[in-house]
Amino acid sequence: MGPSNPAGDAEPRPRGGSPLAGVAAALLDADGRVVWWSRAAQRLLGWTGEEMTGRPAREVLGEVPEPGDPTAGRRVRLRHRSGRVVEADVRVSGADGSAERLVLALAPDEACGWDQDRDIARALLAQDGIGVAQYDITGRLVRTNAAMEALRPPGAGEDWLVRLAARDGSGTAGAAFEDVAATGVPLAGGVYEPVPAGGSSALSLSCFRVEDVLGTPRGVMVEASRVAEAGPGQRIDAAYRGAFEIGQSLDVVQVARDLTRVLVPGLGDHATVDYPEDVLEGRDPAPGYPGQEASAPRRVAVRTSEGAWPERLIQVGEAIPRVAESPEIAAKFVGDVLVADAEQARRILGGDPERIARFLPEGTHASLGCPLYRRGRFFGYAAVYRTRGATPFDETDIRLMHDLCARTATAIDNAFRFAREHQTAVVLQRSLLPPAATRSTAAETAGFYLPAGGSVSVGGDWYDAFDLSSLRVGLVVGDVVGHGLEAAATMARLRTAVQTLAELDLPPDELLARLDDLVRRMQIEAEHPDTVGGSCLFAVYDPVARTCRMASAGHPPPALVTPAGEVAFVPLAPGPLLGVGDHPFEVTTLTLPPGSTLVCYTDGLLGRDVAAGSERLKADLAELSGDFGSPASLGEAVLAQSPHAENPADDITLLLARTHAVPEESTAVWEYPADLAAVGDARADVRGRLEEWGLDELVFSTELIVSELVTNAMRYAGGPVTVRLVRDRVLVCEVSDPSSTQPRLRRALVTDEGGRGLFLVAQLTSRWGSRYTTRGKTIWTEQDLPERPDRPR
């Protein structure tokens, strides 16, 4: 229990949350003493749990009735900690075979009492002004009131209400009720009517989900009232309200559909929207109207209030037949609205019966067309037709049409802006990623990156695979917080930092610690620090020792596929996300048989349900691993199986690495005591092994390298000193000693007697460096093998 409050200053009830949050509760033992005291009880009476535990309940609650006592549900007077009296409705319950009692108390003003939901439902069903129907969560009709029965058409069955069709063509009332039951989003004032439509028989339906006291959905309540045919003013108001739905999607085709839903029935009975070729192909149109032939428009959206779209009219996806230019059509040049009655519309179409049949719905009395212009660019053309009545379009209709088309053009332009930024971010992201496939002594890798689809901008997911010293390979997968260009730029900084730190041969845990420091500095510099952060997995595989060391900063563990086809997730101990700080990272070490495949990924591959996504990935890998020879083909198959890859809600990054191993006969290891006399033994051992490998051309340079490095190790670090040779695409020579002091290359002066050893080593090798080990350091060098016809490069 929390600390007590001063008398009379009980905590206010928190807003929202469970409906039980206002119910005070106390658990009493067999002797009537308080065992447990809830926070709500503290708010009601002021006593804390510490003060009440062990006290007789009657001191505060009075005489507590037994569970079966009829007085257990009545209003009683309780004593507040401050001394004042508090009225509450008290209920007592107990379990069979137990003397303990649970006391529940509710203040009279707390959400209108225990039976508020039942009282509200009774009031709804009893009134006779509005029809009410109740359905359970399965869609079964439970009850209706008299007003709803009065609305039922003669001879209609019990399912008449769910069979009503929406006037705007969005579906049946039953489908709308099911959607409310599933999502909890209420339906407000939807107009539904029998099929075929019957004018004054249309009903206005509202629906909301009913939940129990624990928040579990139990069904829906439907309210219905008869509506007369909407007049012009009502249609205009509805159209303006519907205009707010235009542009909710960044899909330009969906924007056109949104417009037609507003035009029908807001302005007419048929509506069409056409886009020029530039818009359909994702190109920003040039300024001005290019003309019908140059724009090459196609129909993208249609809508009618009279059932299906007539087959004789231009269908969605069809090219718009060319119409001869006329003064009326010239309105497109200036963005004006074109109003025409039936005769004028036929004249504009040249009086051609075939063209008239393709453009004008049957029975057209009036038409209204408007181009979609934004920033002087032509984005399309919208038209609406009236066929049910002969009322011409007035100034209010024209103004509404112009406003709707302006809003639509703005939505299309916004979609294009998003598309351009998205494409720029994708290009930047892909340009910063490494080649999709790499092959080295340590591993064969394949990487995949899928940007988020829909209305989500590209994120900051990345992968990397790069060579490290002594034939090792570094593997990285990361996920940056946020989306867009900023996330891509942050990803670029982190990827560069990882490569730089990896070149220092830092162990995985220390590398992530340094990366975490960088992210925290970026947070200090950022305008919005909470938008900077992310996760990262860093692994190093050594093909000589056949070990893989990895550490994670809040990143999901990779999957491991053995050569036998067994699949398991690496038992990784994930550290905190980058940017949290002050927490160490743990290193996990695995010994991998040659041919093992590490599958690293970002959480976009798993979806929102991480547990289910992990199990699905494991099953897919177990099914596919035996059928695909290369990591690239396996990765393609995994993405093809993933339900999230078609239109990912988040970026998906996948990195697969199939491990190789250096044969034992291609390595040689010697250990020497800290005795300068052993330097000669080291030279002799190296010379003998190189001659055995047929590398006589490298004997002189390697002897010199070993002599210099072993001498320095024995002189300044002590022993033992270990020398290792590895023959592969290059000759690797390593000298390890117990000292953690790193060597430093310097240019010796003419008068210096020493200091030239590392300079000579650098001249004789293609690469050299030093890395820390658990027992000191290792200085490594690489020499290119001499070219031979029988030696692959």
Side-chain angles (χ1 to χ4, degrees):
M1 302 293 290
S4 60
N5 295 320
D9 294 333
E11 298 179 16
R13 178 183 176 184
R15 302 182 66 179
S18 168
L20 295 177
V23 179
L27 182 64
L28 313 183
D29 62 14
D31 298 327
R33 295 182 179 275
V34 175
V35 178
W36 173 75
W37 187 260
S38 72
R39 292 184 181 273
Q42 177 183 344
R43 288 195 297 270
L44 179 65
L45 300 177
W47 304 91
T48 68
E50 295 176 354
E51 293 171 328
M52 288 301 302
T53 301
R55 292 181 60 179
R58 64 176 179 274
E59 295 181 5
V60 175
L61 305 179
E63 291 298 329
V64 180
E66 295 298 324
D69 194 324
T71 65
R74 296 181 180 178
R75 184 164 297 176
V76 298
R77 295 163 63 89
L78 308 177
R79 184 166 65 88
H80 192 275
R81 188 175 186 274
S82 63
R84 61 185 173 88
V85 174
V86 176
E87 290 190 347
D89 295 331
V90 175
R91 292 189 175 185
V92 182
S93 61
D96 294 340
S98 173
E100 292 184 339
R101 288 169 290 172
L102 179 65
V103 181
L104 304 176
L106 187 70
D109 59 346
E110 190 71 60
C112 305
W114 295 98
D115 299 323
Q116 53 172 323
D117 293 336
R118 186 176 62 190
D119 295 340
I120 292 173
R122 185 186 299 114
L124 281 173
L125 290 166
Q127 54 79 43
D128 57 6
I130 300 177
V132 178
Q134 180 181 358
Y135 292 86
D136 65 17
I137 200 64
T138 66
R140 182 180 63 87
L141 180 64
V142 178
R143 62 176 64 89
T144 61
N145 67 352
M148 182 64 81
E149 289 302 317
L151 295 174
R152 183 194 298 198
E158 284 193 352
D159 62 344
W160 70 276
L161 189 61
V162 298
R163 296 178 62 183
L164 296 178
R167 177 174 286 176
D168 62 3
S170 59
T172 65
F177 301 163
E178 292 177 0
D179 187 62
V180 172
T183 65
V185 179
L187 167 69
V191 179
Y192 289 80
E193 55 192 3
V195 179
S200 61
S201 64
L203 298 179
S204 174
L205 301 183
S206 297
C207 178
F208 58 91
R209 188 166 73 182
V210 177
E211 300 174 351
D212 62 16
V213 71
L214 298 177
T216 303
R218 294 302 183 188
V220 296
M221 294 289 285
V222 181
E223 299 176 356
S225 60
R226 197 182 305 277
V227 295
E229 186 67 25
Q234 292 173 299
R235 289 198 302 268
I236 295 296
D237 292 342
Y240 271 112
R241 288 194 299 269
F244 289 102
E245 299 180 5
I246 299 176
Q248 298 297 317
S249 170
L250 291 172
D251 183 344
V252 294
V253 174
Q254 183 60 47
V255 171
R257 293 170 182 161
D258 294 340
L259 175 59
T260 59
R261 271 201 295 267
V262 178
L263 294 177
V264 177
L267 279 178
D269 308 302
H270 295 73
T272 63
V273 177
D274 306 328
Y275 281 167
E277 184 179 20
D278 285 343
V279 173
L280 292 173
E281 295 187 358
R283 297 190 299 267
D284 201 0
Y289 176 60
Q292 186 179 20
E293 184 174 358
S295 63
R298 287 185 178 273
R299 185 138 296 173
V300 293
V302 297
R303 191 172 188 83
T304 177
S305 61
E306 301 176 355
W309 185 254
E311 294 183 2
R312 68 183 184 86
L313 297 176
I314 301 172
Q315 302 295 312
V316 171
E318 290 186 6
I320 306 301
R322 184 178 179 184
V323 178
E325 300 289 350
S326 63
E328 292 86 357
I329 293 180
K332 293 182 179 181
F333 287 98
V334 295
D336 198 6
V337 176
L338 175 60
V339 185
D341 56 22
E343 182 179 350
Q344 186 179 9
R346 287 192 289 268
R347 187 174 64 252
I348 292 173
L349 295 172
D352 183 354
E354 183 177 349
R355 186 177 290 115
I356 292 173
R358 296 278 287 157
F359 276 89
L360 299 182
E362 187 175 357
T364 296
H365 297 288
S367 65
L368 180 60
C370 182
L372 309 176
Y373 270 101
R374 173 68 176 170
R375 297 185 295 113
R377 288 169 165 80
F378 177 71
F379 286 103
Y381 195 78
V384 61
Y385 305 88
R386 286 181 176 173
T387 58
R388 286 187 173 182
T391 305
F393 291 102
D394 57 21
E395 288 298 324
T396 302
D397 298 327
I398 295 172
R399 186 166 56 252
L400 173 60
M401 183 69 170
H402 191 276
D403 292 346
L404 292 176
C405 289
R407 182 178 181 88
T408 302
T410 300
I412 298 172
D413 189 41
N414 290 339
F416 268 73
R417 289 172 181 265
F418 169 82
R420 287 192 294 271
E421 179 180 343
H422 184 271
Q423 184 63 26
T424 301
V426 170
V427 171
L428 174 62
Q429 185 93 338
R430 293 191 184 280
S431 68
L432 295 171
L433 295 176
T438 64
R439 188 178 184 88
S440 65
T441 299
E444 179 185 0
T445 68
F448 302 86
Y449 171 73
L450 299 179
S455 60
V456 182
S457 180
V458 63
D461 294 15
W462 91 94
Y463 65 88
D464 207 351
F466 45 82
D467 292 335
L468 295 174
S469 63
S470 302
L471 306 177
R472 300 172 303 151
V473 66
L475 305 173
V476 190
V477 176
D479 186 355
V480 171
V481 171
H483 296 84
L485 291 173
E486 292 185 3
T490 301
M491 178 274 289
R493 294 180 66 179
L494 296 186
R495 178 173 180 255
T496 302
V498 170
Q499 289 184 342
T500 303
L501 295 171
E503 284 295 324
L504 299 177
D505 276 319
L506 299 177
D509 55 338
E510 187 174 345
L511 183 143
L512 291 181
R514 300 282 185 89
L515 196 63
D516 180 71
D517 292 339
L518 171 62
V519 172
R520 284 192 286 170
R521 287 198 297 271
M522 293 169 61
Q523 290 174 340
I524 296 174
E525 299 168 357
E527 183 177 356
H528 303 288
D530 56 342
T531 63
V532 180
S535 64
C536 183
L537 172 72
F538 179 66
V540 177
Y541 174 68
D542 185 345
V544 178
R546 304 178 184 181
T547 59
C548 183
R549 305 182 69 219
M550 64 182 69
S552 168
H555 203 82
L560 175 63
V561 183
T562 67
E566 299 176 350
V567 182
F569 288 98
V570 176
L572 197 61
L577 292 169
L578 296 175
V580 175
D582 300 328
H583 292 277
F585 299 96
E586 295 186 26
V587 176
T588 300
T589 303
L590 304 172
T591 299
L592 304 180
S596 300
T597 302
L598 279 173
V599 182
C600 311
Y601 51 89
T602 53
D603 53 9
L605 182 66
L606 304 181
R608 296 185 182 275
D609 191 338
V610 176
S614 299
E615 290 300 319
R616 183 178 56 254
L617 175 61
K618 182 177 179 180
D620 290 345
L621 289 172
E623 176 186 354
L624 300 170
S625 60
D627 299 330
F628 297 90
S630 67
S633 58
L634 177 58
E636 291 172 355
V638 169
L639 292 177
Q641 292 275 77
S642 172
H644 307 291
E646 182 69 25
N647 188 29
D650 193 7
D651 286 13
I652 293 178
T653 299
L654 183 63
L655 176 64
L656 298 94
R658 181 158 298 162
T659 62
H660 302 156
V662 175
E664 294 184 3
E665 58 270 19
S666 295
T667 63
V669 182
W670 304 275
E671 185 175 294
Y672 306 100
D675 184 356
L676 290 177
V679 175
D681 296 335
R683 287 198 301 266
D685 291 335
V686 167
R687 181 173 58 252
R689 183 52 58 94
L690 292 179
E691 290 175 350
E692 180 182 333
W693 286 343
L695 299 176
D696 301 80
E697 300 94 329
L698 298 179
V699 169
F700 175 77
S701 59
T702 308
E703 277 189 304
L704 186 56
I705 292 169
V706 170
S707 178
E708 182 63 36
L709 295 181
V710 172
T711 299
N712 287 342
M714 292 180 176
R715 181 173 295 170
Y716 301 111
V721 175
T722 302
V723 176
R724 185 173 75 166
L725 292 181
V726 181
R727 178 191 60 176
D728 194 71
R729 54 183 174 83
V730 294
L731 178 65
V732 178
C733 178
E734 298 177 346
V735 176
S736 304
D737 61 57
S739 173
S740 297
T741 303
Q742 291 283 354
R744 183 170 60 90
L745 178 65
R746 66 184 181 88
R747 187 174 296 277
L749 300 177
V750 177
T751 56
D752 290 343
E753 296 183 0
R756 297 175 177 83
L758 285 180
F759 180 76
L760 291 175
V761 170
Q763 298 302 310
L764 294 172
T765 60
S766 56
R767 290 202 319 160
W768 76 280
S770 178
R771 64 175 180 269
Y772 290 110
T773 64
T774 55
R775 292 182 295 180
K777 69 174 180 297
T778 295
I779 302 176
W780 56 270
T781 67
E782 291 182 2
Q783 300 178 76
D784 294 329
L785 299 184
E787 294 187 10
R788 293 181 182 173
D790 59 340
R791 178 175 294 143
R793 299 299 296 167

